[in-house]
Amino acid sequence: MGTAIRTCPLCEATCGLRLTVDGDRVTHVEGDAADVLSRGFLCPKGALIGELHADPDRLRRPRVRRDGRLVEAGWDEAFEVVADRLAPIVAEHGPNSVGVYLGNPNVHNLAGQLYVRPLLKALRTRNIFSASSVDQLPKHFSAGAMFGDPLAIPVPDIDRTDLLVVLGGNPRVSNGSLWTVPDLPGRLRELRDRGGRMVVVDPRRTRTAAKADLHLPIRPGTDALLLAAVATTLFVDGLADPGDHLRDHLEGIEAVRNWLAPFTPEAVADRCGIDAATIRRLAHDLATTERACLYGRLGTTTVRHGSVASWLVDVVNVLAGNLDRPGGMMFPQPAHHRFPRRPFTAGRWHSRVRDLPEVIGELPVATLADEIATPGEGQIRALIVLAGNPVISTPDGDRLDAALAGLDLLVSVDPYVTATSRHADVILPPPSVLERSHYDLAFTGFAVRDVANYSPTTIGPPTDHPDEARILLALAAIALGQRPPLDLDGADAFVARLLADQIVADPTARVAERDTDAVLRAVGERTGPERLLDLLLRAGPYGDGFGSHPDGLSLATLEASPHGVDLGPLRPRVPDNLATASGRIELASELIRPGIDALTAELDQPPADGLVLIGRRHLRTNNSWSHNVAGLRGGSLCTLQVHPDDAGRLGLADGGAVTVRSRVGAVTATVEVTDDLRPGVVSLPHGFGHDLDGVELEVARRSPGVNSNRLTDPADLDVLSGTAVLNGIPVEVVPADSDAEATRTAASAVGAGS
Ligand code: SF4
């Protein structure tokens, strides 16, 4: 029996956990009160991380398809099958015949952050897709356009603010997203205690909205209109003042004033469902409160004008004087070295079938099924899915499900047989979340304090189980033409040398112009992710520079600090963090202009009639993860929430079955009548629907829920980034009995007429 401290990798909050471990079992979990960021906070998912590790359905050995069945195999055999099948496809059809889908867990995983890139380089394909285009891609687009760097995303400095305005986010449940803010409930209490306020703009009274001083139940998909009117109010009422600290680092204010002039509060009020006086008051509050933050999340990104809404969030923060100052929206400074960006652009290539533009090196996942199913040169014939379940997570899941069945080769790196990996020819399971080390390369870039926190493996993986880094290296080696037995040590050393070469060549690194061999020797005996992490930390802005800054960080420092190292509150970073061509904040980037034109064209349209569907998130789930943990599955999480007025009008009873139908599909769901929603809006969570043939998730199958992405329309995308519209989907809802009756009547009518 022993105690282990580690960071929870299950969501963006990155809480510190204190685990009691007996052999390979976790017997107790509590929040690590000494953790420098999370301060002892723990949610139900983190509390059950031991169940996730012990899950009997979690794969411990690879599977390969033989005679149509997925059977256990050894690692060498599994890699041989990949090598045998991949090489001829690439030889005959070229590198773009291999597609890659990256699921969200890749950013929660040190190996994923460090070794996916070498794999993508080895594959040389442009057909890269990820969960970003059903999530936050619009924010990357707008940050890229405005700041030049798609990762320059400011976060609310919640610990010092007086006013927090949240649009389309539910951080009391998520503990932040694109905002690493563990113990959001505690931090909100502290905001209140010092006299601060919170406003939530959301069609649903979420758990966050329920605690707000003001909740504005906006119509789904109209955040861009609301924000444009807030910005226009700031201009018209003489409140637009970015502040002295930004004045010399900013351009485009007058152009933005002109672009947004038609969007007066009166012009948008009906569309948004928020009256003009309230819009004006919101603008005034943001500009006149000493320290204020405006934060937008999923409800603002997975909509038709998601990139413009994301851009407007930052425009309003700039105009209201709240960007890059304590208590406002600030840019975290991660401890590891980040290479300078070239100025952001988009559309460097386009998808083959629908001509959709690339953004940050990937294509919209809404067109993945098209690229697999449409014959012709460049057709995707092999797909590598890394920690993803796109059948559940991406638009028109039924069509993608059918398309995957037609691939020549599907390789899944996944610990489960899911709705997606059940189609695989080879499944390569990574070690469990406790069998690997951890450092958050992604989320330290969104954290409310600058911190660095490393966790070694908690439970030693079986000796014959390659870690995730070596699985990814093996795939990269195969892509480069190797066959088993693979030289993974050599491949790892090659990746490390490449990184060291890049670091010493980068004048912004703390090891600039040093000798690569000397730097690699200084890292010592470390290999794998730890070698790369040590290089990045020591070259980073807080690093020891391999001796040039003796008090700086190294991996050894973090190993000696199991609760993490606190590097302090967020500090102003403009202009050093800008990567635009001008070196200034480009408010009126031409990349945004087509989105403004599209929004302007819709300005005079009346509010849409009919029901629209939005998603929702529950504290006990995170996308499709953790649904196989029995302790997290009490009660029914996957219901269709309906407002009482709509339920009465449509004849829907609480607990009754209904058919929900969109342009592309239909599902049957159980009704939950609640006045948490605004009338005209229904809500179904995403990530469910685990009852497909072949899925090996025993707990999840017992209450599988329905796949909301059977309703998502792959033709309805954010204008600029191609991100799927998941919020505001037009739907019909009818009692399931009457729908079945209607179907029977229609069928008999067809029969009678034929
Ligand atoms: S909030 Fe996220 S990081 Fe914290 S314990 Fe829960 S799942 Fe883990």
Side-chain angles (χ1 to χ4, degrees):
M1 190 90 82
T3 300
I5 305 292
R6 73 169 295 129
T7 304
C8 176
L10 299 181
C11 87
E12 296 179 44
T14 74
C15 299
L17 305 179
R18 189 178 186 86
L19 304 116
T20 308
V21 181
D22 185 1
D24 73 346
R25 277 188 325 121
V26 174
T27 57
H28 180 70
V29 183
E30 59 190 47
D32 175 17
D35 184 90
V36 292
L37 190 63
S38 63
R39 320 179 301 189
F41 181 77
L42 177 71
C43 88
K45 298 185 291 294
L48 291 172
I49 199 166
E51 273 197 39
L52 199 60
H53 168 74
D55 187 346
D57 286 340
R58 181 171 65 79
L59 303 180
R60 272 76 173 169
R61 307 237 312 146
R63 297 274 188 98
V64 298
R65 188 168 297 281
R66 270 200 225 113
D67 302 325
R69 292 181 50 240
L70 279 168
V71 297
E72 272 199 2
W75 285 95
D76 283 347
E77 181 188 355
F79 289 134
E80 262 165 31
V81 174
V82 179
D84 285 347
R85 305 274 298 274
L86 191 67
I89 293 171
V90 177
E92 188 174 347
H93 302 290
N96 288 334
S97 63
V98 182
V100 178
Y101 176 81
L102 300 162
N104 177 261
N106 287 292
V107 288
H108 295 257
N109 174 348
L110 181 58
Q113 286 288 286
L114 293 170
Y115 289 89
V116 164
R117 199 173 161 75
L119 170 59
L120 297 180
K121 288 241 177 234
L123 286 167
R124 294 185 299 120
T125 177
R126 288 185 159 182
N127 278 319
I128 299 167
F129 305 82
S130 89
S132 294
S133 55
V134 284
D135 191 340
Q136 84 286 1
L137 198 56
K139 195 71 207 175
H140 294 306
F141 189 103
S142 69
M146 190 183 283
F147 307 118
D149 177 355
L151 290 177
I153 295 175
V155 302
D157 184 15
I158 186 171
D159 294 340
R160 293 182 286 187
T161 199
D162 302 315
L163 172 64
L164 173 64
V165 179
V166 177
L167 272 89
N170 190 3
R172 277 194 82 230
V173 164
S174 67
N175 285 286
S177 182
L178 293 181
W179 182 27
T180 289
V181 54
D183 191 19
L184 190 280
R187 290 181 144 99
L188 278 182
R189 278 194 299 277
E190 290 162 10
L191 169 68
R192 276 271 163 60
D193 290 348
R194 60 176 185 267
R197 292 188 306 130
M198 177 169 68
V199 175
V200 173
V201 183
D202 200 296
R204 196 166 71 87
R205 186 167 58 234
T206 61
R207 284 176 73 158
T208 308
K211 290 287 178 186
D213 298 276
L214 176 65
H215 171 211
L216 302 174
I218 191 171
R219 283 184 204 277
T222 63
D223 305 80
L225 292 171
L226 171 75
L227 291 165
V230 168
T232 296
T233 301
L234 295 174
F235 282 122
V236 171
D237 293 357
L239 295 168
D241 180 6
D244 292 342
H245 64 298
L246 291 187
R247 212 173 310 282
D248 293 337
H249 309 297
L250 188 67
E251 62 183 40
I253 283 199
E254 282 310 305
V256 170
R257 180 200 292 265
N258 293 332
W259 289 1
L260 300 181
F263 297 89
T264 62
E266 284 72 18
V268 307
D270 280 355
R271 286 287 302 282
C272 298
I274 298 174
D275 65 75
T278 301
I279 296 172
R280 284 204 172 81
R281 194 166 67 242
L282 181 62
H284 281 242
D285 284 352
L286 281 165
T288 59
T289 304
E290 177 61 24
R291 303 176 299 179
C293 310
L294 171 63
Y295 162 76
R297 198 46 197 100
L298 206 77
T300 62
T301 56
T302 53
V303 291
R304 185 161 163 68
H305 300 287
S307 294
V308 171
S310 297
W311 172 79
L312 280 162
V313 166
D314 290 332
V315 166
V316 169
N317 280 314
V318 166
L319 297 179
N322 293 322
L323 188 78
D324 202 37
R325 56 189 291 254
M329 296 294 286
M330 302 198 74
F331 300 93
Q333 170 77 283
H336 64 280
H337 179 66
R338 287 187 60 214
F339 292 97
R341 295 265 171 175
R342 278 189 227 106
F344 171 80
T345 187
R348 291 169 294 176
W349 61 90
H350 289 72
S351 67
R352 177 181 62 106
V353 179
R354 290 172 58 189
D355 199 33
L356 295 169
E358 156 277 343
V359 177
I360 59 167
E362 60 183 75
L363 296 167
V365 72
T367 197
L368 175 57
D370 302 318
E371 295 296 332
I372 297 171
T374 309
E377 199 180 327
Q379 179 184 7
I380 293 177
R381 295 161 191 272
L383 184 69
I384 299 176
V385 177
L386 303 175
N389 192 358
V391 169
I392 298 287
S393 306
T394 70
D396 200 356
D398 287 351
R399 181 157 183 253
L400 183 61
D401 193 44
L404 295 182
L407 284 165
D408 293 344
L409 174 66
L410 174 58
V411 178
S412 271
V413 176
D414 203 296
Y416 288 103
V417 182
T418 66
T420 298
S421 63
R422 80 193 210 281
H423 290 295
D425 298 286
V426 180
I427 304 178
L428 304 168
S432 92
V433 290
L434 299 179
E435 291 172 336
R436 60 187 187 222
S437 59
H438 188 76
Y439 181 91
D440 271 298
L441 287 168
F443 302 120
T444 47
F446 304 118
V448 290
R449 290 182 74 85
D450 288 344
V451 295
N453 207 331
Y454 170 78
S455 315
T457 54
T458 305
I459 293 170
T463 46
D464 62 344
H465 195 141
D467 64 21
E468 198 153 349
R470 291 175 85 77
I471 293 171
L472 296 170
L473 280 171
L475 292 174
I478 289 168
L480 290 171
Q482 281 193 31
R483 293 191 52 81
L486 302 163
D487 177 12
L488 299 185
D489 291 336
D492 188 36
F494 177 75
V495 170
R497 175 162 290 277
L498 221 54
L499 179 65
D501 276 341
Q502 288 173 328
I503 285 177
V504 298
D506 179 355
T508 68
R510 280 198 169 176
V511 290
E513 296 180 16
R514 303 274 281 278
D515 176 61
T516 300
D517 287 320
V519 164
L520 285 171
R521 270 197 307 278
V523 172
E525 299 299 308
R526 297 186 192 278
T527 58
E530 276 66 24
R531 172 161 51 188
L532 306 189
L533 178 61
D534 200 27
L535 278 169
L536 289 168
L537 285 170
R538 299 175 79 173
Y542 297 100
D544 74 357
F546 293 92
S548 64
H549 297 69
D551 296 332
L553 288 183
S554 66
L555 183 52
T557 323
L558 300 190
E559 286 168 328
S561 314
H563 311 291
V565 173
D566 182 15
L567 300 164
L570 305 183
R571 305 181 210 5
R573 294 194 58 208
V574 173
D576 296 346
N577 67 332
L578 302 178
T580 51
S582 65
R584 291 145 72 96
I585 297 172
E586 296 181 359
L587 274 191
S589 164
E590 279 303 312
L591 290 167
I592 295 293
R593 183 61 196 248
I596 300 291
D597 293 343
L599 189 67
T600 307
E602 288 185 18
L603 184 55
D604 295 330
Q605 290 178 8
D609 290 334
L611 290 177
V612 291
L613 176 71
I614 62 171
R616 69 178 186 272
R617 179 161 169 175
H618 196 282
L619 188 59
R620 283 184 276 151
T621 73
N622 182 6
N623 304 324
S624 62
W625 313 9
S626 71
H627 288 187
N628 213 48
V629 175
L632 294 172
R633 294 305 305 272
S636 179
L637 303 180
C638 187
T639 56
L640 182 82
Q641 292 187 334
V642 183
H643 188 274
D645 292 356
D646 294 319
R649 183 170 54 81
L650 298 168
L652 311 179
D654 192 55
V658 287
T659 301
V660 189
R661 192 183 305 283
S662 74
R663 187 186 78 84
V664 295
V667 299
T668 301
T670 303
V671 169
E672 177 188 349
V673 177
T674 171
D675 65 2
D676 283 347
L677 292 161
R678 67 170 286 140
V681 179
V682 294
S683 169
L684 191 63
H686 80 283
F688 289 86
H690 304 290
D691 53 349
L692 297 171
D693 286 346
V695 172
E696 297 182 26
L697 296 167
E698 197 189 326
V699 172
R701 288 189 76 98
R702 276 187 233 138
S703 52
V706 295
N707 179 3
S708 65
N709 271 313
R710 295 176 70 186
L711 303 169
T712 314
D713 188 341
D716 201 4
L717 306 178
D718 170 37
V719 173
L720 295 179
S721 74
T723 297
V725 172
L726 306 184
N727 283 294
I729 302 167
V731 290
E732 291 173 3
V733 179
V734 295
D737 289 350
S738 70
D739 193 53
E741 184 57 36
T743 306
R744 274 196 295 278
T745 306
S748 61
V750 170
S754 60

